[in-house]
Amino acid sequence: MISTRGRYALRVMIDIAENSNGNFIPLNEIAERQGISEKYLESILVILTRGNLLLGMRGKGGGYKLIRDPKDYTLGTILRLTEGSLSPVACLKEGAEPCIKSPACRTLPVWKGLNDAINTYLDGITLAELLKPKASSSEYCI
């Protein structure tokens, strides 16, 4: 399950991409738009900054902005940074000790398949894709 930290990180990255115009966005503006407490938001922004997804600047005119173009961020990258792992089972986490039962584990192929599906799906969606406006219900699409 993705925690609020991961979900909020995605919202914050979208917010910054939509509102920055190349400028730094103050923390309090992001917090107000997203309805996230400044204290909790700051803990998320620290992770995103240390992970080299955002650039942070203190003082007047400071705030946060993307380091790269939105098309260069995948949801998988953002979520792995904030969640630590997206693996459905502990034995598939990066750096996990090999399980002594893995040679005979009948469910391991299921977990590997699920792990691959999760990562492939989330790595296939970019931040830029989430910025595209949704078609309104009055628009007709085929």
Side-chain angles (χ1 to χ4, degrees):
M1 183 162 51
I2 304 298
S3 69
T4 56
R5 182 173 49 203
R7 295 192 321 265
Y8 288 1
L10 292 177
R11 287 174 39 191
V12 166
M13 293 292 286
I14 293 166
D15 186 287
I16 292 171
E18 286 179 333
N19 294 292
S20 74
N21 296 319
N23 300 317
F24 286 92
I25 305 292
L27 179 140
N28 64 329
E29 289 181 15
I30 301 166
E32 185 176 325
R33 276 193 299 270
Q34 295 303 316
I36 303 170
S37 79
E38 288 186 29
K39 186 173 183 173
Y40 191 43
L41 178 58
E42 188 169 24
S43 70
I44 294 167
L45 289 167
V46 166
I47 294 168
L48 296 172
T49 302
R50 286 187 182 152
N52 295 316
L53 299 186
L54 295 176
L55 181 61
M57 187 172 87
R58 293 183 174 267
K60 186 174 178 166
Y64 298 87
K65 69 178 181 177
L66 299 180
I67 291 176
R68 300 182 292 276
D69 190 274
K71 69 177 177 40
D72 296 326
Y73 294 89
T74 68
L75 272 55
T77 299
I78 298 164
L79 289 172
R80 278 188 292 277
L81 182 61
T82 54
E83 294 294 315
S85 174
L86 299 174
S87 299
V89 290
C91 63
L92 294 177
K93 289 182 179 180
E94 190 174 325
E97 291 289 322
C99 177
I100 60 171
K101 295 181 181 184
S102 65
C105 182
R106 293 182 183 201
T107 60
L108 186 58
V110 173
W111 304 131
K112 282 183 177 180
L114 179 58
N115 190 53
D116 291 345
I118 290 168
N119 285 289
T120 299
Y121 179 73
L122 293 173
D123 287 334
I125 302 171
T126 67
L127 190 58
E129 291 175 63
L130 299 180
L131 300 176
K132 295 176 182 174
K134 292 182 180 180
S136 70
S137 58
S138 63
E139 292 181 15
Y140 181 74
C141 295
I142 295 178

